[in-house]
mmCIF file of all heavy atoms in Angstrom:
data_model
loop_
_atom_site.group_PDB
_atom_site.id
_atom_site.type_symbol
_atom_site.label_atom_id
_atom_site.label_comp_id
_atom_site.label_asym_id
_atom_site.label_seq_id
_atom_site.Cartn_x
_atom_site.Cartn_y
_atom_site.Cartn_z
ATOM 1 N N PRO A 252 20.583 2.062 60.092
ATOM 2 C CA PRO A 252 19.785 1.483 61.174
ATOM 3 C C PRO A 252 20.185 0.033 61.417
ATOM 4 O O PRO A 252 20.502 -0.688 60.484
ATOM 5 C CB PRO A 252 18.352 1.563 60.656
ATOM 6 C CG PRO A 252 18.396 2.303 59.382
ATOM 7 C CD PRO A 252 19.797 2.459 58.962
ATOM 8 N N LYS A 253 20.155 -0.356 62.663
ATOM 9 C CA LYS A 253 20.548 -1.713 63.030
ATOM 10 C C LYS A 253 19.390 -2.422 63.719
ATOM 11 O O LYS A 253 18.606 -1.807 64.425
ATOM 12 C CB LYS A 253 21.752 -1.669 63.970
ATOM 13 C CG LYS A 253 22.995 -1.122 63.318
ATOM 14 C CD LYS A 253 24.096 -0.938 64.342
ATOM 15 C CE LYS A 253 25.339 -0.380 63.728
ATOM 16 N NZ LYS A 253 25.245 0.968 63.253
ATOM 17 N N GLY A 254 19.285 -3.708 63.503
ATOM 18 C CA GLY A 254 18.346 -4.559 64.218
ATOM 19 C C GLY A 254 16.901 -4.121 64.139
ATOM 20 O O GLY A 254 16.335 -3.982 63.073
ATOM 21 N N THR A 255 16.300 -3.881 65.308
ATOM 22 C CA THR A 255 14.872 -3.596 65.379
ATOM 23 C C THR A 255 14.520 -2.231 64.808
ATOM 24 O O THR A 255 13.384 -2.022 64.411
ATOM 25 C CB THR A 255 14.386 -3.676 66.829
ATOM 26 O OG1 THR A 255 15.101 -2.730 67.618
ATOM 27 C CG2 THR A 255 14.561 -5.063 67.397
ATOM 28 N N LEU A 256 15.470 -1.293 64.754
ATOM 29 C CA LEU A 256 15.162 0.013 64.169
ATOM 30 C C LEU A 256 14.740 -0.123 62.719
ATOM 31 O O LEU A 256 13.795 0.513 62.278
ATOM 32 C CB LEU A 256 16.369 0.944 64.274
ATOM 33 C CG LEU A 256 16.617 1.592 65.614
ATOM 34 C CD1 LEU A 256 17.865 2.457 65.557
ATOM 35 C CD2 LEU A 256 15.435 2.413 66.048
ATOM 36 N N LEU A 257 15.423 -0.966 61.966
ATOM 37 C CA LEU A 257 15.085 -1.149 60.560
ATOM 38 C C LEU A 257 13.722 -1.816 60.417
ATOM 39 O O LEU A 257 12.909 -1.399 59.593
ATOM 40 C CB LEU A 257 16.168 -1.954 59.852
ATOM 41 C CG LEU A 257 15.989 -2.135 58.359
ATOM 42 C CD1 LEU A 257 15.975 -0.775 57.661
ATOM 43 C CD2 LEU A 257 17.101 -2.993 57.794
ATOM 44 N N THR A 258 13.445 -2.824 61.227
ATOM 45 C CA THR A 258 12.149 -3.490 61.126
ATOM 46 C C THR A 258 11.021 -2.556 61.552
ATOM 47 O O THR A 258 9.940 -2.589 60.968
ATOM 48 C CB THR A 258 12.110 -4.784 61.966
ATOM 49 O OG1 THR A 258 12.434 -4.486 63.311
ATOM 50 C CG2 THR A 258 13.073 -5.808 61.415
ATOM 51 N N GLU A 259 11.251 -1.712 62.570
ATOM 52 C CA GLU A 259 10.236 -0.729 62.965
ATOM 53 C C GLU A 259 9.975 0.261 61.846
ATOM 54 O O GLU A 259 8.836 0.606 61.563
ATOM 55 C CB GLU A 259 10.672 0.039 64.218
ATOM 56 C CG GLU A 259 10.440 -0.676 65.502
ATOM 57 C CD GLU A 259 10.798 0.190 66.708
ATOM 58 O OE1 GLU A 259 11.393 1.269 66.538
ATOM 59 O OE2 GLU A 259 10.469 -0.218 67.818
ATOM 60 N N ALA A 260 11.039 0.710 61.195
ATOM 61 C CA ALA A 260 10.887 1.680 60.110
ATOM 62 C C ALA A 260 10.082 1.085 58.962
ATOM 63 O O ALA A 260 9.212 1.749 58.397
ATOM 64 C CB ALA A 260 12.257 2.137 59.624
ATOM 65 N N ILE A 261 10.340 -0.162 58.614
ATOM 66 C CA ILE A 261 9.602 -0.817 57.530
ATOM 67 C C ILE A 261 8.141 -1.022 57.923
ATOM 68 O O ILE A 261 7.236 -0.814 57.123
ATOM 69 C CB ILE A 261 10.289 -2.149 57.152
ATOM 70 C CG1 ILE A 261 11.638 -1.847 56.494
ATOM 71 C CG2 ILE A 261 9.415 -2.973 56.232
ATOM 72 C CD1 ILE A 261 12.506 -3.046 56.285
ATOM 73 N N ARG A 262 7.894 -1.385 59.171
ATOM 74 C CA ARG A 262 6.527 -1.609 59.644
ATOM 75 C C ARG A 262 5.713 -0.322 59.633
ATOM 76 O O ARG A 262 4.512 -0.328 59.391
ATOM 77 C CB ARG A 262 6.568 -2.206 61.054
ATOM 78 C CG ARG A 262 5.223 -2.564 61.632
ATOM 79 C CD ARG A 262 5.359 -3.206 63.001
ATOM 80 N NE ARG A 262 6.103 -2.415 63.960
ATOM 81 C CZ ARG A 262 5.577 -1.444 64.702
ATOM 82 N NH1 ARG A 262 4.313 -1.135 64.583
ATOM 83 N NH2 ARG A 262 6.321 -0.795 65.573
ATOM 84 N N LEU A 263 6.351 0.804 59.873
ATOM 85 C CA LEU A 263 5.658 2.093 59.943
ATOM 86 C C LEU A 263 5.433 2.742 58.591
ATOM 87 O O LEU A 263 4.734 3.754 58.509
ATOM 88 C CB LEU A 263 6.462 3.064 60.816
ATOM 89 C CG LEU A 263 6.518 2.744 62.285
ATOM 90 C CD1 LEU A 263 7.453 3.722 62.982
ATOM 91 C CD2 LEU A 263 5.147 2.808 62.906
ATOM 92 N N LEU A 264 6.010 2.209 57.543
ATOM 93 C CA LEU A 264 5.985 2.868 56.241
ATOM 94 C C LEU A 264 4.579 3.242 55.754
ATOM 95 O O LEU A 264 4.366 4.391 55.361
ATOM 96 C CB LEU A 264 6.709 2.015 55.200
ATOM 97 C CG LEU A 264 6.897 2.653 53.840
ATOM 98 C CD1 LEU A 264 7.706 3.937 53.957
ATOM 99 C CD2 LEU A 264 7.570 1.689 52.897
ATOM 100 N N PRO A 265 3.575 2.356 55.769
ATOM 101 C CA PRO A 265 2.243 2.762 55.278
ATOM 102 C C PRO A 265 1.639 3.919 56.088
ATOM 103 O O PRO A 265 1.086 4.859 55.506
ATOM 104 C CB PRO A 265 1.389 1.496 55.417
ATOM 105 C CG PRO A 265 2.358 0.376 55.499
ATOM 106 C CD PRO A 265 3.604 0.930 56.107
ATOM 107 N N ASP A 266 1.763 3.867 57.411
ATOM 108 C CA ASP A 266 1.239 4.955 58.239
ATOM 109 C C ASP A 266 2.025 6.242 58.004
ATOM 110 O O ASP A 266 1.454 7.332 58.018
ATOM 111 C CB ASP A 266 1.301 4.588 59.728
ATOM 112 C CG ASP A 266 0.289 3.517 60.094
ATOM 113 O OD1 ASP A 266 -0.736 3.408 59.397
ATOM 114 O OD2 ASP A 266 0.526 2.803 61.084
ATOM 115 N N LEU A 267 3.310 6.128 57.778
ATOM 116 C CA LEU A 267 4.147 7.299 57.546
ATOM 117 C C LEU A 267 3.771 8.003 56.242
ATOM 118 O O LEU A 267 3.702 9.228 56.187
ATOM 119 C CB LEU A 267 5.615 6.892 57.530
ATOM 120 C CG LEU A 267 6.614 8.012 57.396
ATOM 121 C CD1 LEU A 267 6.483 8.999 58.544
ATOM 122 C CD2 LEU A 267 8.014 7.454 57.329
ATOM 123 N N VAL A 268 3.493 7.231 55.200
ATOM 124 C CA VAL A 268 3.082 7.825 53.926
ATOM 125 C C VAL A 268 1.766 8.586 54.099
ATOM 126 O O VAL A 268 1.612 9.711 53.606
ATOM 127 C CB VAL A 268 2.974 6.744 52.836
ATOM 128 C CG1 VAL A 268 2.322 7.289 51.572
ATOM 129 C CG2 VAL A 268 4.350 6.176 52.517
ATOM 130 N N ARG A 269 0.806 7.992 54.820
ATOM 131 C CA ARG A 269 -0.469 8.687 55.079
ATOM 132 C C ARG A 269 -0.254 9.937 55.914
ATOM 133 O O ARG A 269 -0.881 10.973 55.676
ATOM 134 C CB ARG A 269 -1.449 7.743 55.761
ATOM 135 C CG ARG A 269 -2.057 6.738 54.812
ATOM 136 C CD ARG A 269 -3.136 5.967 55.504
ATOM 137 N NE ARG A 269 -2.520 5.194 56.575
ATOM 138 C CZ ARG A 269 -2.635 3.891 56.724
ATOM 139 N NH1 ARG A 269 -3.385 3.208 55.921
ATOM 140 N NH2 ARG A 269 -2.026 3.262 57.688
ATOM 141 N N LEU A 270 0.654 9.870 56.891
ATOM 142 C CA LEU A 270 0.957 11.040 57.722
ATOM 143 C C LEU A 270 1.508 12.181 56.881
ATOM 144 O O LEU A 270 1.064 13.324 57.006
ATOM 145 C CB LEU A 270 1.964 10.666 58.815
ATOM 146 C CG LEU A 270 2.530 11.832 59.620
ATOM 147 C CD1 LEU A 270 1.460 12.428 60.515
ATOM 148 C CD2 LEU A 270 3.731 11.384 60.431
ATOM 149 N N LEU A 271 2.460 11.886 56.012
ATOM 150 C CA LEU A 271 3.054 12.922 55.181
ATOM 151 C C LEU A 271 2.021 13.564 54.266
ATOM 152 O O LEU A 271 1.993 14.786 54.096
ATOM 153 C CB LEU A 271 4.206 12.342 54.364
ATOM 154 C CG LEU A 271 5.401 11.827 55.149
ATOM 155 C CD1 LEU A 271 6.412 11.185 54.221
ATOM 156 C CD2 LEU A 271 6.027 12.917 55.976
ATOM 157 N N ARG A 272 1.144 12.748 53.687
ATOM 158 C CA ARG A 272 0.094 13.273 52.811
ATOM 159 C C ARG A 272 -0.862 14.166 53.586
ATOM 160 O O ARG A 272 -1.232 15.252 53.135
ATOM 161 C CB ARG A 272 -0.659 12.122 52.147
ATOM 162 C CG ARG A 272 -1.697 12.571 51.136
ATOM 163 C CD ARG A 272 -2.416 11.408 50.483
ATOM 164 N NE ARG A 272 -2.834 10.362 51.381
ATOM 165 C CZ ARG A 272 -3.956 10.384 52.107
ATOM 166 N NH1 ARG A 272 -4.751 11.419 52.052
ATOM 167 N NH2 ARG A 272 -4.273 9.377 52.880
ATOM 168 N N ARG A 273 -1.257 13.743 54.766
ATOM 169 C CA ARG A 273 -2.183 14.536 55.587
ATOM 170 C C ARG A 273 -1.552 15.851 56.034
ATOM 171 O O ARG A 273 -2.203 16.894 56.030
ATOM 172 C CB ARG A 273 -2.621 13.732 56.816
ATOM 173 C CG ARG A 273 -3.555 12.600 56.492
ATOM 174 C CD ARG A 273 -3.886 11.823 57.738
ATOM 175 N NE ARG A 273 -4.782 10.722 57.443
ATOM 176 C CZ ARG A 273 -5.243 9.881 58.347
ATOM 177 N NH1 ARG A 273 -4.893 10.026 59.622
ATOM 178 N NH2 ARG A 273 -6.047 8.909 58.004
ATOM 179 N N LEU A 274 -0.290 15.803 56.436
ATOM 180 C CA LEU A 274 0.386 17.030 56.858
ATOM 181 C C LEU A 274 0.537 18.007 55.699
ATOM 182 O O LEU A 274 0.344 19.216 55.855
ATOM 183 C CB LEU A 274 1.759 16.711 57.452
ATOM 184 C CG LEU A 274 1.772 16.094 58.843
ATOM 185 C CD1 LEU A 274 3.159 15.584 59.191
ATOM 186 C CD2 LEU A 274 1.289 17.087 59.885
ATOM 187 N N ALA A 275 0.872 17.480 54.518
ATOM 188 C CA ALA A 275 1.052 18.351 53.352
ATOM 189 C C ALA A 275 -0.269 18.997 52.930
ATOM 190 O O ALA A 275 -0.273 20.105 52.392
ATOM 191 C CB ALA A 275 1.645 17.562 52.192
ATOM 192 N N ALA A 276 -1.392 18.353 53.199
ATOM 193 C CA ALA A 276 -2.700 18.892 52.806
ATOM 194 C C ALA A 276 -3.299 19.819 53.864
ATOM 195 O O ALA A 276 -4.300 20.485 53.592
ATOM 196 C CB ALA A 276 -3.667 17.736 52.527
ATOM 197 N N ASP A 277 -2.705 19.881 55.051
ATOM 198 C CA ASP A 277 -3.244 20.693 56.140
ATOM 199 C C ASP A 277 -2.927 22.169 55.899
ATOM 200 O O ASP A 277 -1.796 22.607 56.009
ATOM 201 C CB ASP A 277 -2.639 20.233 57.471
ATOM 202 C CG ASP A 277 -3.236 20.946 58.668
ATOM 203 O OD1 ASP A 277 -4.055 21.883 58.475
ATOM 204 O OD2 ASP A 277 -2.889 20.567 59.799
ATOM 205 N N ARG A 278 -3.953 22.948 55.598
ATOM 206 C CA ARG A 278 -3.778 24.377 55.290
ATOM 207 C C ARG A 278 -3.470 25.214 56.531
ATOM 208 O O ARG A 278 -3.102 26.371 56.413
ATOM 209 C CB ARG A 278 -5.028 24.930 54.608
ATOM 210 C CG ARG A 278 -5.314 24.302 53.285
ATOM 211 C CD ARG A 278 -4.432 24.905 52.263
ATOM 212 N NE ARG A 278 -4.756 24.353 50.954
ATOM 213 C CZ ARG A 278 -3.979 24.486 49.935
ATOM 214 N NH1 ARG A 278 -2.845 25.135 50.043
ATOM 215 N NH2 ARG A 278 -4.310 23.963 48.783
ATOM 216 N N THR A 279 -3.623 24.639 57.721
ATOM 217 C CA THR A 279 -3.318 25.400 58.929
ATOM 218 C C THR A 279 -1.818 25.435 59.231
ATOM 219 O O THR A 279 -1.373 26.263 60.002
ATOM 220 C CB THR A 279 -4.061 24.824 60.156
ATOM 221 O OG1 THR A 279 -3.616 23.482 60.397
ATOM 222 C CG2 THR A 279 -5.565 24.845 59.936
ATOM 223 N N LEU A 280 -1.066 24.534 58.613
ATOM 224 C CA LEU A 280 0.386 24.519 58.804
ATOM 225 C C LEU A 280 1.012 25.622 57.959
ATOM 226 O O LEU A 280 0.479 25.988 56.909
ATOM 227 C CB LEU A 280 0.966 23.168 58.395
ATOM 228 C CG LEU A 280 0.568 21.976 59.247
ATOM 229 C CD1 LEU A 280 1.189 20.711 58.699
ATOM 230 C CD2 LEU A 280 0.962 22.174 60.686
ATOM 231 N N PRO A 281 2.154 26.150 58.390
ATOM 232 C CA PRO A 281 2.832 27.180 57.594
ATOM 233 C C PRO A 281 3.178 26.669 56.190
ATOM 234 O O PRO A 281 3.447 25.480 55.998
ATOM 235 C CB PRO A 281 4.108 27.464 58.392
ATOM 236 C CG PRO A 281 3.818 26.998 59.771
ATOM 237 C CD PRO A 281 2.843 25.873 59.650
ATOM 238 N N ARG A 282 3.173 27.565 55.238
ATOM 239 C CA ARG A 282 3.446 27.213 53.847
ATOM 240 C C ARG A 282 4.825 26.553 53.700
ATOM 241 O O ARG A 282 4.974 25.596 52.951
ATOM 242 C CB ARG A 282 3.358 28.434 52.958
ATOM 243 C CG ARG A 282 3.734 28.114 51.516
ATOM 244 C CD ARG A 282 3.562 29.284 50.622
ATOM 245 N NE ARG A 282 2.136 29.323 50.305
ATOM 246 C CZ ARG A 282 1.551 30.314 49.695
ATOM 247 N NH1 ARG A 282 2.228 31.382 49.366
ATOM 248 N NH2 ARG A 282 0.269 30.272 49.421
ATOM 249 N N ALA A 283 5.817 27.049 54.411
ATOM 250 C CA ALA A 283 7.164 26.481 54.309
ATOM 251 C C ALA A 283 7.171 25.007 54.715
ATOM 252 O O ALA A 283 7.874 24.191 54.106
ATOM 253 C CB ALA A 283 8.139 27.273 55.172
ATOM 254 N N VAL A 284 6.384 24.652 55.710
ATOM 255 C CA VAL A 284 6.294 23.256 56.149
ATOM 256 C C VAL A 284 5.658 22.413 55.061
ATOM 257 O O VAL A 284 6.134 21.325 54.726
ATOM 258 C CB VAL A 284 5.499 23.156 57.472
ATOM 259 C CG1 VAL A 284 5.167 21.719 57.806
ATOM 260 C CG2 VAL A 284 6.282 23.794 58.605
ATOM 261 N N ARG A 285 4.575 22.911 54.471
ATOM 262 C CA ARG A 285 3.886 22.151 53.417
ATOM 263 C C ARG A 285 4.775 21.989 52.188
ATOM 264 O O ARG A 285 4.751 20.942 51.543
ATOM 265 C CB ARG A 285 2.568 22.826 53.068
ATOM 266 C CG ARG A 285 1.567 22.801 54.216
ATOM 267 C CD ARG A 285 0.165 23.178 53.807
ATOM 268 N NE ARG A 285 0.045 24.223 52.824
ATOM 269 C CZ ARG A 285 -0.157 25.513 53.088
ATOM 270 N NH1 ARG A 285 -0.273 25.908 54.341
ATOM 271 N NH2 ARG A 285 -0.266 26.389 52.119
ATOM 272 N N VAL A 286 5.570 23.015 51.878
ATOM 273 C CA VAL A 286 6.482 22.913 50.733
ATOM 274 C C VAL A 286 7.541 21.846 51.004
ATOM 275 O O VAL A 286 7.839 21.025 50.138
ATOM 276 C CB VAL A 286 7.132 24.286 50.434
ATOM 277 C CG1 VAL A 286 8.301 24.145 49.471
ATOM 278 C CG2 VAL A 286 6.096 25.241 49.875
ATOM 279 N N ARG A 287 8.100 21.834 52.212
ATOM 280 C CA ARG A 287 9.092 20.805 52.560
ATOM 281 C C ARG A 287 8.497 19.406 52.428
ATOM 282 O O ARG A 287 9.140 18.494 51.911
ATOM 283 C CB ARG A 287 9.586 20.996 53.988
ATOM 284 C CG ARG A 287 10.587 22.063 54.146
ATOM 285 C CD ARG A 287 11.116 22.102 55.580
ATOM 286 N NE ARG A 287 11.554 23.445 55.850
ATOM 287 C CZ ARG A 287 11.094 24.213 56.814
ATOM 288 N NH1 ARG A 287 10.198 23.761 57.642
ATOM 289 N NH2 ARG A 287 11.544 25.427 56.976
ATOM 290 N N LEU A 288 7.283 19.248 52.922
ATOM 291 C CA LEU A 288 6.635 17.939 52.843
ATOM 292 C C LEU A 288 6.372 17.536 51.396
ATOM 293 O O LEU A 288 6.560 16.383 51.013
ATOM 294 C CB LEU A 288 5.329 17.950 53.642
ATOM 295 C CG LEU A 288 5.507 18.020 55.154
ATOM 296 C CD1 LEU A 288 4.206 18.427 55.818
ATOM 297 C CD2 LEU A 288 6.004 16.696 55.697
ATOM 298 N N GLY A 289 5.948 18.486 50.583
ATOM 299 C CA GLY A 289 5.726 18.201 49.167
ATOM 300 C C GLY A 289 7.012 17.814 48.454
ATOM 301 O O GLY A 289 7.033 16.862 47.659
ATOM 302 N N LEU A 290 8.096 18.536 48.737
ATOM 303 C CA LEU A 290 9.385 18.198 48.136
ATOM 304 C C LEU A 290 9.878 16.829 48.602
ATOM 305 O O LEU A 290 10.456 16.064 47.828
ATOM 306 C CB LEU A 290 10.418 19.274 48.464
ATOM 307 C CG LEU A 290 10.225 20.615 47.764
ATOM 308 C CD1 LEU A 290 11.200 21.646 48.311
ATOM 309 C CD2 LEU A 290 10.373 20.466 46.264
ATOM 310 N N GLN A 291 9.608 16.517 49.854
ATOM 311 C CA GLN A 291 10.016 15.211 50.366
ATOM 312 C C GLN A 291 9.251 14.102 49.657
ATOM 313 O O GLN A 291 9.832 13.101 49.243
ATOM 314 C CB GLN A 291 9.785 15.121 51.864
ATOM 315 C CG GLN A 291 10.092 13.754 52.399
ATOM 316 C CD GLN A 291 9.712 13.596 53.850
ATOM 317 O OE1 GLN A 291 9.123 14.473 54.437
ATOM 318 N NE2 GLN A 291 10.056 12.479 54.406
ATOM 319 N N MET A 292 7.940 14.275 49.506
ATOM 320 C CA MET A 292 7.156 13.243 48.822
ATOM 321 C C MET A 292 7.593 13.109 47.363
ATOM 322 O O MET A 292 7.634 12.007 46.826
ATOM 323 C CB MET A 292 5.670 13.547 48.945
ATOM 324 C CG MET A 292 5.145 13.321 50.347
ATOM 325 S SD MET A 292 3.367 13.446 50.520
ATOM 326 C CE MET A 292 3.083 15.151 50.138
ATOM 327 N N PHE A 293 7.932 14.235 46.725
ATOM 328 C CA PHE A 293 8.438 14.193 45.357
ATOM 329 C C PHE A 293 9.735 13.395 45.300
ATOM 330 O O PHE A 293 9.916 12.539 44.431
ATOM 331 C CB PHE A 293 8.650 15.619 44.835
ATOM 332 C CG PHE A 293 9.237 15.676 43.459
ATOM 333 C CD1 PHE A 293 8.477 15.355 42.350
ATOM 334 C CD2 PHE A 293 10.558 16.045 43.278
ATOM 335 C CE1 PHE A 293 9.021 15.401 41.078
ATOM 336 C CE2 PHE A 293 11.119 16.096 42.008
ATOM 337 C CZ PHE A 293 10.341 15.775 40.904
ATOM 338 N N TYR A 294 10.656 13.652 46.232
ATOM 339 C CA TYR A 294 11.922 12.924 46.264
ATOM 340 C C TYR A 294 11.682 11.430 46.489
ATOM 341 O O TYR A 294 12.305 10.586 45.837
ATOM 342 C CB TYR A 294 12.844 13.474 47.355
ATOM 343 C CG TYR A 294 14.095 12.654 47.506
ATOM 344 C CD1 TYR A 294 15.136 12.773 46.601
ATOM 345 C CD2 TYR A 294 14.230 11.726 48.538
ATOM 346 C CE1 TYR A 294 16.275 12.010 46.711
ATOM 347 C CE2 TYR A 294 15.362 10.952 48.658
ATOM 348 C CZ TYR A 294 16.381 11.100 47.741
ATOM 349 O OH TYR A 294 17.501 10.316 47.861
#
């Protein structure tokens, strides 16, 4: 990432972590999606 893309990504980090946690906990999403999100958070 160059210039403002990197600063935007850093600024969004707290909201992004909450988004990933909320999506992984949503039982209405397909199991495969929740597994991907869980593996991503683990990584």
Side-chain angles (χ1 to χ4, degrees):
K253 294 173 181 68
T255 59
L256 281 179
L257 184 61
T258 56
E259 279 184 350
I261 292 170
R262 184 177 55 84
L263 291 175
L264 187 60
D266 289 334
L267 184 60
V268 170
R269 284 187 296 235
L270 171 70
L271 296 176
R272 185 179 44 83
R273 289 177 180 180
L274 286 169
D277 185 355
R278 297 281 183 195
T279 63
L280 294 179
R282 176 176 279 170
V284 169
R285 294 193 322 264
V286 167
R287 281 185 207 121
L288 290 164
L290 289 173
Q291 175 187 6
M292 288 188 295
F293 177 73
Y294 174 77

